[in-house]
mmCIF file of all heavy atoms in Angstrom:
data_model
loop_
_atom_site.group_PDB
_atom_site.id
_atom_site.type_symbol
_atom_site.label_atom_id
_atom_site.label_comp_id
_atom_site.label_asym_id
_atom_site.label_seq_id
_atom_site.Cartn_x
_atom_site.Cartn_y
_atom_site.Cartn_z
ATOM 1 N N TYR A 47 79.457 98.933 120.338
ATOM 2 C CA TYR A 47 80.324 97.960 119.728
ATOM 3 C C TYR A 47 81.775 98.356 119.863
ATOM 4 O O TYR A 47 82.131 99.532 119.655
ATOM 5 C CB TYR A 47 80.019 97.732 118.247
ATOM 6 C CG TYR A 47 80.844 96.607 117.741
ATOM 7 C CD1 TYR A 47 80.562 95.276 118.048
ATOM 8 C CD2 TYR A 47 82.167 96.860 117.108
ATOM 9 C CE1 TYR A 47 81.408 94.263 117.684
ATOM 10 C CE2 TYR A 47 82.890 95.870 116.737
ATOM 11 C CZ TYR A 47 82.588 94.518 117.006
ATOM 12 O OH TYR A 47 83.450 93.510 116.626
ATOM 13 N N ARG A 65 72.614 88.497 119.315
ATOM 14 C CA ARG A 65 73.061 87.550 118.220
ATOM 15 C C ARG A 65 72.357 86.276 118.159
ATOM 16 O O ARG A 65 72.068 85.813 117.059
ATOM 17 C CB ARG A 65 74.663 87.342 118.400
ATOM 18 C CG ARG A 65 75.438 88.535 117.970
ATOM 19 C CD ARG A 65 76.910 88.235 118.216
ATOM 20 N NE ARG A 65 77.723 89.358 117.641
ATOM 21 C CZ ARG A 65 79.013 89.470 117.909
ATOM 22 N NH1 ARG A 65 79.685 88.594 118.702
ATOM 23 N NH2 ARG A 65 79.710 90.526 117.355
ATOM 24 N N ALA A 92 73.080 98.014 117.302
ATOM 25 C CA ALA A 92 72.589 96.630 117.108
ATOM 26 C C ALA A 92 73.082 96.106 115.705
ATOM 27 O O ALA A 92 73.571 94.955 115.637
ATOM 28 C CB ALA A 92 71.082 96.604 117.164
ATOM 29 N N ILE A 93 73.007 96.937 114.715
ATOM 30 C CA ILE A 93 73.545 96.537 113.411
ATOM 31 C C ILE A 93 75.026 96.231 113.477
ATOM 32 O O ILE A 93 75.444 95.242 112.866
ATOM 33 C CB ILE A 93 73.201 97.667 112.325
ATOM 34 C CG1 ILE A 93 71.717 97.747 112.110
ATOM 35 C CG2 ILE A 93 73.949 97.286 111.066
ATOM 36 C CD1 ILE A 93 71.270 98.965 111.302
ATOM 37 N N ASP A 94 75.733 97.097 114.171
ATOM 38 C CA ASP A 94 77.181 96.857 114.328
ATOM 39 C C ASP A 94 77.479 95.545 114.990
ATOM 40 O O ASP A 94 78.319 94.772 114.536
ATOM 41 C CB ASP A 94 77.874 98.000 115.038
ATOM 42 C CG ASP A 94 77.900 99.292 114.341
ATOM 43 O OD1 ASP A 94 77.656 99.278 113.068
ATOM 44 O OD2 ASP A 94 78.102 100.337 114.947
ATOM 45 N N TRP A 95 76.807 95.205 116.053
ATOM 46 C CA TRP A 95 77.044 93.912 116.753
ATOM 47 C C TRP A 95 76.619 92.771 115.835
ATOM 48 O O TRP A 95 77.293 91.726 115.784
ATOM 49 C CB TRP A 95 76.243 93.882 118.009
ATOM 50 C CG TRP A 95 76.920 94.471 119.169
ATOM 51 C CD1 TRP A 95 76.721 95.726 119.736
ATOM 52 C CD2 TRP A 95 78.083 93.909 119.882
ATOM 53 N NE1 TRP A 95 77.629 95.945 120.797
ATOM 54 C CE2 TRP A 95 78.480 94.857 120.925
ATOM 55 C CE3 TRP A 95 78.755 92.658 119.832
ATOM 56 C CZ2 TRP A 95 79.486 94.582 121.792
ATOM 57 C CZ3 TRP A 95 79.744 92.446 120.754
ATOM 58 C CH2 TRP A 95 80.090 93.375 121.652
ATOM 59 N N LEU A 96 75.548 92.847 115.090
ATOM 60 C CA LEU A 96 75.098 91.808 114.241
ATOM 61 C C LEU A 96 75.909 91.676 112.920
ATOM 62 O O LEU A 96 75.809 90.566 112.332
ATOM 63 C CB LEU A 96 73.582 91.970 113.883
ATOM 64 C CG LEU A 96 72.616 91.894 115.054
ATOM 65 C CD1 LEU A 96 71.201 92.252 114.651
ATOM 66 C CD2 LEU A 96 72.706 90.515 115.714
ATOM 67 N N SER A 97 76.755 92.664 112.637
ATOM 68 C CA SER A 97 77.531 92.583 111.375
ATOM 69 C C SER A 97 78.835 91.812 111.640
ATOM 70 O O SER A 97 79.528 91.441 110.762
ATOM 71 C CB SER A 97 77.917 93.926 110.950
ATOM 72 O OG SER A 97 78.815 94.565 111.772
ATOM 73 N N ARG A 98 79.144 91.453 112.961
ATOM 74 C CA ARG A 98 80.375 90.782 113.297
ATOM 75 C C ARG A 98 80.065 89.383 113.759
ATOM 76 O O ARG A 98 78.975 89.107 114.196
ATOM 77 C CB ARG A 98 81.042 91.511 114.449
ATOM 78 C CG ARG A 98 81.381 93.002 114.178
ATOM 79 C CD ARG A 98 82.444 93.156 113.087
ATOM 80 N NE ARG A 98 83.040 94.419 113.013
ATOM 81 C CZ ARG A 98 82.530 95.515 112.462
ATOM 82 N NH1 ARG A 98 81.281 95.501 111.941
ATOM 83 N NH2 ARG A 98 83.170 96.662 112.423
ATOM 84 N N PRO A 99 80.967 88.447 113.682
ATOM 85 C CA PRO A 99 82.313 88.693 113.150
ATOM 86 C C PRO A 99 82.258 88.869 111.633
ATOM 87 O O PRO A 99 81.436 88.400 110.951
ATOM 88 C CB PRO A 99 83.106 87.362 113.491
ATOM 89 C CG PRO A 99 82.009 86.363 113.742
ATOM 90 C CD PRO A 99 80.834 87.058 114.146
ATOM 91 N N TYR A 100 83.274 89.705 111.228
ATOM 92 C CA TYR A 100 83.310 90.090 109.779
ATOM 93 C C TYR A 100 83.208 88.831 108.936
ATOM 94 O O TYR A 100 83.914 87.918 109.090
ATOM 95 C CB TYR A 100 84.591 90.929 109.506
ATOM 96 C CG TYR A 100 84.676 91.384 108.098
ATOM 97 C CD1 TYR A 100 83.866 92.414 107.674
ATOM 98 C CD2 TYR A 100 85.487 90.705 107.108
ATOM 99 C CE1 TYR A 100 83.936 92.856 106.321
ATOM 100 C CE2 TYR A 100 85.498 91.155 105.795
ATOM 101 C CZ TYR A 100 84.732 92.299 105.435
ATOM 102 O OH TYR A 100 84.740 92.622 104.148
ATOM 103 N N GLY A 101 82.272 88.946 107.922
ATOM 104 C CA GLY A 101 82.124 87.827 106.993
ATOM 105 C C GLY A 101 81.172 86.792 107.479
ATOM 106 O O GLY A 101 80.827 85.903 106.699
ATOM 107 N N ALA A 102 80.811 86.766 108.742
ATOM 108 C CA ALA A 102 79.963 85.744 109.278
ATOM 109 C C ALA A 102 78.957 86.319 110.252
ATOM 110 O O ALA A 102 78.549 85.637 111.239
ATOM 111 C CB ALA A 102 80.810 84.689 110.061
ATOM 112 N N GLY A 103 78.540 87.521 109.965
ATOM 113 C CA GLY A 103 77.551 88.209 110.811
ATOM 114 C C GLY A 103 76.152 87.559 110.694
ATOM 115 O O GLY A 103 75.885 86.693 109.913
ATOM 116 N N ALA A 104 75.310 88.012 111.596
ATOM 117 C CA ALA A 104 73.968 87.334 111.754
ATOM 118 C C ALA A 104 72.984 87.628 110.580
ATOM 119 O O ALA A 104 72.018 86.948 110.404
ATOM 120 C CB ALA A 104 73.361 87.742 113.046
ATOM 121 N N PHE A 105 73.257 88.643 109.789
ATOM 122 C CA PHE A 105 72.344 89.015 108.749
ATOM 123 C C PHE A 105 72.368 87.946 107.581
ATOM 124 O O PHE A 105 71.393 87.540 107.121
ATOM 125 C CB PHE A 105 72.578 90.393 108.179
ATOM 126 C CG PHE A 105 72.254 91.455 109.218
ATOM 127 C CD1 PHE A 105 73.216 92.357 109.650
ATOM 128 C CD2 PHE A 105 70.911 91.687 109.619
ATOM 129 C CE1 PHE A 105 72.900 93.302 110.634
ATOM 130 C CE2 PHE A 105 70.611 92.569 110.519
ATOM 131 C CZ PHE A 105 71.574 93.484 111.013
ATOM 132 N N SER A 132 72.998 100.886 106.085
ATOM 133 C CA SER A 132 73.828 100.249 107.083
ATOM 134 C C SER A 132 73.650 98.754 107.104
ATOM 135 O O SER A 132 74.544 98.022 107.092
ATOM 136 C CB SER A 132 73.585 100.836 108.425
ATOM 137 O OG SER A 132 74.489 100.309 109.331
ATOM 138 N N ILE A 135 74.886 97.038 103.924
ATOM 139 C CA ILE A 135 76.472 96.774 104.032
ATOM 140 C C ILE A 135 76.786 95.665 104.987
ATOM 141 O O ILE A 135 77.738 94.996 104.757
ATOM 142 C CB ILE A 135 77.102 98.160 104.386
ATOM 143 C CG1 ILE A 135 76.968 99.146 103.278
ATOM 144 C CG2 ILE A 135 78.545 97.996 104.747
ATOM 145 C CD1 ILE A 135 77.311 100.574 103.618
ATOM 146 N N ALA A 136 75.962 95.595 106.110
ATOM 147 C CA ALA A 136 76.239 94.585 107.086
ATOM 148 C C ALA A 136 75.825 93.106 106.695
ATOM 149 O O ALA A 136 76.056 92.196 107.396
ATOM 150 C CB ALA A 136 75.560 94.934 108.386
ATOM 151 N N GLY A 137 75.230 93.044 105.438
ATOM 152 C CA GLY A 137 74.977 91.702 104.932
ATOM 153 C C GLY A 137 73.551 91.305 104.829
ATOM 154 O O GLY A 137 73.187 90.268 104.378
#
Side-chain angles (χ1 to χ4, degrees):
Y47 185 78
R65 284 180 172 168
I93 293 168
D94 291 344
W95 275 102
L96 294 175
S97 72
R98 304 293 196 282
Y100 182 75
F105 293 115
S132 184
I135 290 169

